[in-house]
Amino acid sequence: MSAILGHRRTKTVSVTSGKGGVGKTTIVSNLAFALARQGKRVLILDGDLGMANVDIMFGVKAEANIHQVIKGEVEIAQAITPLGTNIDLIAGGSGIVELNRLNSFERRAMMESLQSMDGLYDYMLIDTAPGISDNVLYLNSAAQETAIVINPDPASLTDSYALIKVLNQEYKESHFSIICNQVRDETDGMALYHRFNEVVSRFLFVGLDYWGPLTQDPLFRKSAQNQRLILKHEPTSESSRQLLNISMKLERSLVRKNEKSGLQFFWDQVVGVA
Ligand SMILES: Nc1ncnc2c1ncn2[C@@H]1O[C@H](COP(=O)(O)OP(=O)(O)OP(=O)(O)O)[C@@H](O)[C@H]1O
Ligand SMILES: [Mg+2]
């Protein structure tokens, strides 16, 4: 079933974190590029509705954003910013603080607009804000797959634990994927995953997959400063290899999923919890 639906429907993945600044936007932008390069059509939703910056990663300026769609000022099709071959963006709208506190009517408007895009893309990747605000929770609960970015900072672990706990207890989410960023090496990444997994599974009944490490690499800061994606401009680097590995894990995990399918699901789910 999933193969047939998967053909027509948009698979939704949120990339999120308990703590800010752990690499979500960097990872989403590079994963989108990896998928698009294979011919997949990718839509990025900048779900960090208050502090959007995916467009900056691609060196593009978004003319319209989801805020205007929610207000009914523009149609969703007009709020799409092309970022490159096979990659489009729905920008979040920088600095619009109230967007991080949408009411249920506004959420509904946003989700209805997104649902109308179902099937136009193979993937929708959602770059969320950090933390456990309502918007973050419902975007994560609505996505088919939620990848949580952690790093060795203890605050990242405790905040991610809190995020998983609330998604599990309030939204019945029981499966997450973990990306260990800014680790020393692959061994360190695996150790961090095991440590986190051990604590989480001691207290919560959830499953955590490991999508892999991303080592601490000065190329990331350089590439952000120059608005050049690492995967595009440093394709032979260790970090690019690790990013491709993560994108393969993402594809594989969605092939396995058929119970939550497409933006229609995304929409139904959100109406259910709004
Ligand atoms: N593996 C890495 N090695 C070195 N620097 C990294 C790595 N991953 C991310 N960074 C840097 O960390 C900073 C934060 O990254 P990014 O903006 O992607 O995080 P974020 O989780 O989206 O933050 P926010 O929560 O504020 O949205 C950026 O300067 C980025 O270049
Ligand atoms: Mg970000």
Side-chain angles (χ1 to χ4, degrees):
M1 185 178 87
S2 60
I4 299 163
L5 288 178
H7 208 65
R8 289 186 287 115
R9 294 198 138 179
T10 303
K11 296 172 185 129
T12 54
V13 183
S14 60
V15 176
T16 193
S17 66
K19 184 178 167 294
V22 294
K24 297 177 296 296
T25 303
T26 306
I27 291 169
V28 164
S29 303
N30 281 285
L31 289 182
F33 181 79
L35 294 165
R37 201 172 51 182
Q38 294 174 49
K40 304 283 196 277
R41 298 155 304 162
V42 184
L43 177 65
I44 302 175
L45 171 63
D46 201 335
D48 190 345
L49 301 177
M51 280 295 289
N53 49 15
V54 176
D55 51 347
I56 295 168
M57 289 292 296
F58 283 83
V60 167
K61 180 89 199 78
E63 296 296 333
N65 59 53
I66 192 82
H67 182 244
Q68 291 159 296
V69 177
I70 293 167
K71 297 278 174 213
E73 291 165 13
V74 300
E75 294 293 324
I76 188 116
Q78 296 168 268
I80 288 174
T81 304
L83 295 179
T85 310
N86 289 334
I87 314 183
D88 286 344
L89 167 72
I90 298 181
S94 227
I96 303 163
V97 176
E98 72 267 28
L99 268 184
N100 275 333
R101 279 184 237 109
L102 298 181
N103 62 37
S104 57
F105 178 78
E106 291 165 328
R107 272 183 210 173
R108 217 185 152 96
M110 176 164 92
M111 292 304 149
E112 256 172 356
S113 307
L114 290 172
Q115 196 262 317
S116 71
M117 312 286 291
D118 195 13
L120 296 179
Y121 296 91
D122 297 303
Y123 291 95
M124 179 168 80
L125 305 185
I126 307 166
D127 179 15
T128 80
I132 54 169
S133 68
D134 284 352
N135 278 355
V136 172
L137 294 176
Y138 84 76
L139 283 172
N140 283 326
S141 69
Q144 283 167 282
E145 180 75 40
T146 294
I148 298 185
V149 183
I150 63 176
N151 73 14
D153 179 351
S156 149
L157 303 184
T158 48
D159 292 355
S160 296
Y161 175 84
L163 174 62
I164 290 174
K165 184 173 175 186
V166 62
L167 281 168
N168 179 240
Q169 296 187 341
E170 291 179 24
Y171 294 83
K172 306 294 171 245
E173 291 297 321
S174 59
H175 173 265
F176 303 89
S177 298
I178 303 296
I179 299 169
C180 294
N181 192 15
Q182 291 165 309
V183 291
R184 261 196 319 261
D185 53 30
E186 306 212 343
T187 311
D188 198 29
M190 184 60 98
L192 179 64
Y193 163 72
H194 281 307
R195 210 163 64 237
F196 187 61
N197 190 34
E198 210 232 314
V199 173
V200 170
S201 47
R202 199 182 311 155
F203 298 106
L204 303 171
F205 197 63
V206 299
L208 303 184
D209 274 353
Y210 184 41
W211 276 8
L214 254 188
T215 47
Q216 175 71 32
D217 182 348
L219 278 179
F220 276 104
R221 248 167 252 281
K222 217 176 87 192
S223 79
Q225 277 158 8
N226 302 334
Q227 305 189 341
R228 289 155 75 96
L229 285 183
I230 205 163
L231 203 50
K232 185 171 180 187
H233 293 280
E234 307 282 351
T236 58
S237 64
E238 172 81 352
S239 297
S240 288
R241 192 183 58 71
Q242 292 172 335
L243 285 162
L244 284 179
N245 176 57
I246 294 170
S247 96
M248 260 156 42
K249 293 268 173 56
L250 179 158
E251 286 191 274
R252 276 193 216 137
S253 85
L254 284 162
V255 167
R256 288 201 303 271
K257 296 213 158 185
N258 55 17
E259 77 275 26
K260 286 171 118 189
S261 190
L263 282 169
Q264 177 60 50
F265 173 82
F266 190 77
W267 161 239
D268 293 344
Q269 186 76 354
V270 169
V271 174
V273 299

